[in-house]
Amino acid sequence: MISATRLRAASAAVTVLSNRTEVTDWARRYFGQWWAASAVEASSVCAGPVVVAAVDPTEHAALTLQVHDGRHTEETEYARHRMLVARDGEDIIAASPGETIAYRYTASTGRLELSGIGVMELALAAARLAREVIRGQLLRDGWAVLHASAVARTADGATLLSFGGKGAGKTTTALLLASAGWQLLANDRVLVRPTGERDVEVVPWPSAAALGLGLVDSLGWGAAARGHLQEGGSFHPTQHDSVTEALLAGDFRPLWEDGKRRERKVQVWPDQFPRLFGVELATGGRAAGLLFPRVDADGSPDVVDGAQTLGLGEDDFMSGATEDRYPDIFELAGGVDGGGRRSARDEVSARLAMMPHLRVRLSHDVPASVAALEKVAGRV
C-alpha cells in the first residue's frame, strides 16, 4: 500500500510517497506545524515534484550497483554521510553507504526516488530531500535564505529577525520572546522574499531545534523535557544518548563532544514546542525589525545604544559555501546559489537596512533578559 503526504510552503509544493506509512507520517509531523502538510490519496498524485521513498532491498542493490558500475563518480558529504554521485543519462544517481540508501533524480519529471533497507533512515532522508525540493523551487522563484532566528507578533505578523555569529544568542533571543507570547517562526534560518514596494515576506525553514541543556533549564522547560522522557516519549532521533541520559537524571550541565568542539544539545521536534513547552509556532510573517543580541553572563540585560548594519556576509545569508551540510547534489535549485539569487539577496538586504536595527545585551538572568527584549520589541 502506497501512502502520500503533500507539503506546501508559499508557492512551492512537493509530495512524499512511500510503501511505508512511517515515512509519510514522519514528513507530515516534521513539516505540519510550520508548512502546510496533509495526507492525500496516492492515486491522486499525477503531476508535480515527488519524493518516492521505498523500503526495497532489491532496488537498492541494483541502483547502488549502477553507481559503482565503472561510472565517473564524485564523492561528497551530505547530512554528515559519505555520498557517491554519478550520472545515468539525464538522471543523477547516488549511493549513501552509511545510510544504506540509493537515489535517482530525473529532472525532466521532478521525480526523486530513494530506495533503502531501514525505515528510519528513509524517513530522515525523504524529509531532508522534500525540504530541499521546496527550497529549490522557492530559490528559483526569487526567495533567499537568511541565517537568522525569527519570531512573529500574533496580532499582526510583524516579525523580528535576530542575527549574529555562532553563540551570539539568536536561538536564545527567539525562545525568550516566544516564552513572552511571541510566536516562534524559526530558530536558525528563514526564507525571505521582497514583496510589494517595501516589505519582506518571511516563511519558516522547518528543522529540529538544537537547545543547550543549560538553556532548557533556564527557560524552565527542564521538568517538562524530563517528564516527557519518563513517560516513554522521545526527542528527535539525532539527539545523542548522553543528552537523553542527562535529561533523565535532571543534570543540565553542558555536554561537549571530544575536545569541546561542539556542544551536545537537546534536539526538539517543531511540534514539541507547543505541546511540551507552550510555545506557539508562526507559519509566516512580515519583517519589521532586526535584533543583534549578545550574551554577557555577568552583564545587565538591556538595549544597547549604537547603530548596527546588516551586510551580505556569510553570517547573514546562507550560501552554497556555507550550506556544507546539505549541498545541492541533485541540482534541485537549477544553479541558483543556496542563499538565493544575488538580485534577491541585494533587494532583501536593502529593504532590511531601512528597518529598525536594535542591539540587545542578554544574560543568564532570564526574567531580566525577557524584560530587555520586550523593551526592544516595543520599539517595532
Side-chain angles (χ1 to χ4, degrees):
M1 178 179 175
I2 304 298
S3 60
T5 290
R6 181 163 291 143
L7 310 174
R8 295 185 182 278
S11 59
V14 64
T15 304
V16 179
L17 299 120
S18 181
N19 60 350
R20 297 294 295 266
T21 57
E22 297 97 322
V23 173
T24 50
D25 287 348
W26 183 282
R28 188 161 59 254
R29 179 188 179 188
Y30 200 87
F31 298 110
Q33 295 292 307
W34 266 321
W35 290 352
S38 58
V40 296
E41 290 293 332
S43 59
S44 70
V45 181
C46 57
V50 295
V51 173
V52 183
V55 176
D56 189 335
T58 301
E59 179 59 28
H60 167 261
L63 187 49
T64 300
L65 182 61
Q66 277 192 291
V67 174
H68 293 276
D69 190 20
R71 302 170 191 275
H72 171 73
T73 60
E74 294 184 2
E75 183 172 332
T76 187
E77 186 175 282
Y78 186 85
R80 297 180 180 170
H81 291 281
R82 174 172 169 258
M83 186 87 83
L84 296 172
V85 185
R87 291 196 176 263
D88 181 30
E90 68 166 18
D91 293 357
I92 297 174
I93 57 177
S96 176
E99 298 173 291
T100 323
I101 299 176
Y103 304 80
R104 177 183 294 275
Y105 176 59
T106 305
S108 60
T109 62
R111 185 180 180 90
L112 178 52
E113 299 176 359
L114 293 71
S115 56
I117 297 172
V119 176
M120 178 58 67
E121 291 82 359
L122 274 171
L124 286 165
R128 284 194 298 262
L129 286 166
R131 188 174 57 189
E132 292 301 305
V133 171
I134 291 282
R135 178 170 69 163
Q137 293 176 57
L138 293 179
L139 290 177
R140 297 194 304 271
D141 200 29
W143 292 74
V145 183
L146 280 173
H147 189 196
S149 69
V151 291
R153 192 160 53 200
T154 305
D156 58 5
T159 299
L160 290 173
L161 300 164
S162 297
F163 294 87
K166 186 177 181 180
K170 296 188 298 297
T171 297
T172 299
T173 297
L175 295 180
L176 288 173
L177 281 167
S179 71
W182 288 65
Q183 293 180 320
L184 181 64
L185 196 150
N187 64 283
D188 184 62
R189 67 183 71 182
V190 290
L191 289 150
V192 290
R193 180 182 67 169
T195 184
E197 294 184 1
R198 298 173 56 184
D199 289 341
V200 175
E201 184 179 358
V202 186
V203 166
W205 173 260
S207 66
L211 312 182
L213 286 161
L215 177 59
V216 170
D217 185 41
S218 65
L219 288 167
W221 296 351
R226 186 184 186 192
H228 175 64
L229 292 173
Q230 289 174 329
E231 293 171 1
S234 62
F235 289 98
H236 195 274
T238 55
Q239 179 170 297
H240 196 273
D241 288 343
S242 63
V243 176
T244 302
E245 292 165 4
L247 286 172
L248 285 168
D251 185 354
F252 295 96
R253 293 172 296 177
L255 290 172
W256 299 91
E257 294 183 357
D258 293 341
K260 286 194 172 184
R261 291 175 301 149
R262 182 164 50 195
E263 185 179 356
R264 289 174 175 164
K265 298 183 177 183
V266 183
Q267 302 290 331
V268 181
W269 283 85
D271 71 341
Q272 290 177 329
F273 279 110
R275 183 159 50 86
L276 296 181
F277 307 132
V279 170
E280 295 302 318
L281 304 183
T283 58
R286 172 187 51 80
L290 285 64
L291 301 181
F292 297 86
R294 178 172 61 87
V295 177
D296 182 350
D298 301 319
S300 177
D302 203 354
V303 181
V304 179
D305 293 330
Q308 180 90 32
T309 302
L310 174 71
L312 278 174
E314 188 173 282
D315 289 338
D316 300 320
F317 284 93
M318 301 304 296
S319 68
T322 57
E323 193 58 278
D324 55 350
R325 186 178 295 185
Y326 305 116
D328 189 15
I329 58 176
F330 295 108
E331 302 175 4
L332 299 169
V336 178
D337 182 82
R341 290 191 176 93
R342 174 61 65 180
S343 58
R345 294 165 64 179
D346 286 349
E347 183 61 25
V348 166
S349 185
R351 294 188 182 199
L352 292 180
M354 298 168 60
M355 299 179 188
H357 287 51
L358 301 164
R359 293 191 293 171
V360 61
R361 182 173 57 244
L362 307 175
S363 76
H364 293 169
D365 184 337
V366 169
S369 294
V370 170
L373 288 168
E374 288 182 319
K375 185 190 298 185
V376 167
R379 298 185 180 184
V380 176

